Amino acid sequence: MIDTTAPRPSIPGMFDVILRGTAELDTLLQDDRALPDIVQRLVGISVLGLSVHGAVVGLIRDLLHGTGPNAVLWMPLAFVVAFVGALCICLPSFYFYTQLSGLDASFRLVTAQALRAQATTSVLLLGVMPFYGAVALAAALGVISEESTVLGLGMVLPFVVGLTGLRAAYRGFIALAKVLPKTHERRGAFLRRMVLAWGAVYTSVAPVALWRLVERLGG
Amino acid sequence: MGVLETAILYATLGVAVAIFTAHTSTARGFERYGTLLAAFAFWPLFTPSLIAGERPRSTARPENAVAARIHREEERLVAALSALEGVAAEVLSPEVRRVRSLFRGLDKMSVRLAELEALLATPDYSGDPPRKAAEKLAILRDRTKDQIDRTLLEVEELVSQLHLIRFANSPDDEIVRRVRDLAAGIEGLAEGLLAE
């Protein structure tokens, strides 16, 4: 017997839904009963992707510095706490901007949309990792002399890849705008402006959080 | 309030949300522990799902007679699917999602139907003699209503077939095969709706 009220893809199934099933994810997010499970899975994927990326950046830092396994242990924590923590901090602002745009979205729908952006970023980070590994290898072989460039790239990469996450949130809102009640009509590209406001507030919090955490944990 | 006091307060709220999540989460095994740990560490993300009640359906779905019938048929079809024993949840879950997706399409059509009916009831379109545009709108309304009726009739047929499968004492793999055939039928209905 299955639970008929909440169709729930497993975490591996969610990878597929995030990468290919944009319309399916839109449908899932429109079902209030499915949202708690979807939120849990999106958090899981976000944490997984950021942890793996953090571990790779930490490993490269350890290798380039010639120290023992040190950063590989705390860097995943720094990445996860900085990015997911920044999301927690920004949620009230996200909700505020969404309401200002005229979309009557619930707080948990806003949370799910924010996590959708983060989970998309995390999944794509896993895909970009081999390229980052190649850059790190080039640094280890002396092709790139500045190790801070390689580590800096590892820190900046989630923000660059994050643009695709932002795009996923934007496309999700386009679909949601067709079914969500509107509190007031807005003209122009209000959805685009709203998502850009989301991105702006998040980008002002997450780098500071990451910088401070790396500084604190890395000594 | 210093860092330590803030951390204690944060952790206390985290424990409360994790306990609440443990009661409501359907995750099992390793995934369950991961979820509880995430709920403890990132409780602000979990709190909205836990404290917010389900939104009234009327905000997302229209509640006129047609919409109510659509909703009733949706629940019947999903219930018939879920009542099948011997079929793994992994097989049925995608079909339930397909059903939900089909009925979201029907919801949109019922909204369109209600809008057309409201428009045709306005003095602009209900005067005598009827305007040419009113006739075209009436044709559109009748066609939309026909499509909804036809789809719901096919859904009723699917429900009957699912009941037959359930009581026919077929082997499990036979049930799975027939469910997949019916799922293809549901997909066909959804595609038909999108194409119209």
Side-chain angles (χ1 to χ4, degrees):
Chain A
M1 183 78 75
I2 60 165
D3 183 353
T4 58
T5 56
R8 292 179 294 266
S10 60
I11 284 191
M14 281 299 287
F15 275 97
D16 189 50
V17 171
I18 287 170
L19 281 174
R20 296 190 299 165
T22 314
E24 191 177 351
L25 193 52
D26 289 338
T27 310
L28 286 171
L29 292 182
Q30 285 167 32
D31 187 351
D32 258 8
R33 291 163 295 183
L35 273 184
D37 281 313
I38 298 300
V39 163
Q40 286 172 20
R41 279 153 180 75
L42 290 175
V43 170
I45 288 172
S46 303
V47 169
L48 182 71
L50 288 167
S51 303
V52 174
H53 180 72
V56 170
V57 176
L59 181 69
I60 289 165
R61 186 181 194 262
D62 287 338
L63 289 175
L64 293 177
H65 283 190
T67 56
N70 181 15
V72 71
L73 299 175
W74 57 258
M75 197 67 92
L77 186 70
F79 268 85
V80 171
V81 173
F83 285 95
V84 185
L87 210 61
C88 297
I89 291 168
C90 295
L91 274 182
S93 303
F94 292 168
Y95 180 67
F96 178 68
Y97 297 148
T98 310
Q99 293 296 317
L100 269 185
S101 76
L103 286 183
D104 187 15
S106 65
F107 203 95
R108 62 172 156 184
L109 181 57
V110 169
T111 309
Q113 277 287 84
L115 281 167
R116 171 196 210 157
Q118 184 59 65
T120 306
T121 306
S122 291
V123 171
L124 292 176
L125 266 180
L126 293 173
V128 168
M129 206 167 297
F131 297 99
Y132 181 59
V135 173
L137 195 63
L141 294 172
V143 180
I144 301 170
S145 54
E146 287 286 323
E147 63 181 59
S148 59
T149 308
V150 180
L151 292 175
L153 181 66
M155 302 287 179
V156 169
L157 212 50
F159 296 98
V160 179
V161 176
L163 293 173
T164 55
L166 206 59
R167 184 167 163 267
Y170 172 62
R171 291 176 69 168
F173 271 118
I174 288 177
L176 286 170
K178 292 174 188 158
V179 290
L180 282 178
K182 290 187 180 64
T183 50
H184 51 272
E185 286 297 330
R186 287 278 188 195
R187 283 182 297 174
F190 73 96
L191 281 178
R192 193 173 299 162
R193 290 205 301 264
M194 181 196 79
V195 174
L196 283 176
W198 275 40
V201 71
Y202 184 72
T203 315
S204 64
V205 175
V208 179
L210 183 63
W211 180 266
R212 295 289 294 171
L213 277 165
V214 169
E215 206 176 48
R216 178 66 67 96
L217 295 170
Chain B
M1 195 157 64
V3 174
L4 183 66
E5 290 90 338
T6 309
I8 291 171
L9 184 64
Y10 188 92
T12 309
L13 289 169
V15 169
V17 173
I19 291 170
F20 204 179
T21 306
H23 283 287
T24 55
S25 175
T26 52
R28 293 280 170 270
F30 177 74
E31 197 182 328
R32 183 177 178 81
Y33 293 115
T35 300
L36 297 187
L37 190 63
F40 168 72
F42 304 113
W43 59 263
L45 296 175
F46 287 76
T47 312
S49 299
L50 295 175
I51 61 175
E54 200 177 301
R55 285 202 147 193
R57 276 186 173 272
S58 56
T59 58
R61 308 169 114 195
E63 275 308 329
N64 53 39
V66 178
R69 188 176 158 215
I70 291 171
H71 180 217
R72 207 167 44 244
E73 290 302 327
E74 177 182 3
E75 296 310 322
R76 277 187 67 208
L77 182 52
V78 174
L81 265 174
S82 69
L84 291 176
E85 288 170 4
V87 184
E90 298 79 51
V91 176
L92 284 182
S93 288
E95 314 318 334
V96 173
R97 280 206 294 281
R98 275 198 196 111
V99 168
R100 298 281 186 208
S101 161
L102 164 73
F103 279 91
R104 293 299 72 74
L106 281 172
D107 273 347
K108 283 179 191 159
M109 289 185 77
S110 79
V111 170
R112 187 176 155 186
L113 180 64
E115 284 172 356
L116 279 168
E117 279 175 345
L119 192 62
L120 283 166
T122 58
D124 284 350
Y125 292 98
S126 58
D128 196 35
R131 291 161 61 172
K132 202 157 186 133
E135 285 171 10
K136 286 184 179 168
L137 283 173
I139 292 170
L140 267 177
R141 177 200 57 196
D142 294 342
R143 200 187 295 163
T144 308
K145 198 167 182 312
D146 278 352
Q147 284 163 5
I148 294 174
D149 285 341
R150 227 177 324 128
T151 310
L152 289 180
L153 275 175
E154 290 187 51
V155 167
E156 282 174 18
E157 179 62 30
L158 283 178
V159 172
S160 310
Q161 289 183 39
L162 283 168
H163 288 155
L164 266 177
I165 292 174
R166 185 183 165 200
F167 292 107
N169 288 330
S170 309
D172 289 355
D173 50 348
E174 169 69 12
I175 293 178
V176 170
R177 194 184 59 74
R178 293 185 66 182
V179 165
R180 287 201 165 129
D181 287 347
L182 286 180
I186 293 171
E187 207 156 52
L189 286 179
E191 280 166 8
L193 270 183
L194 287 173
E196 303 259 7

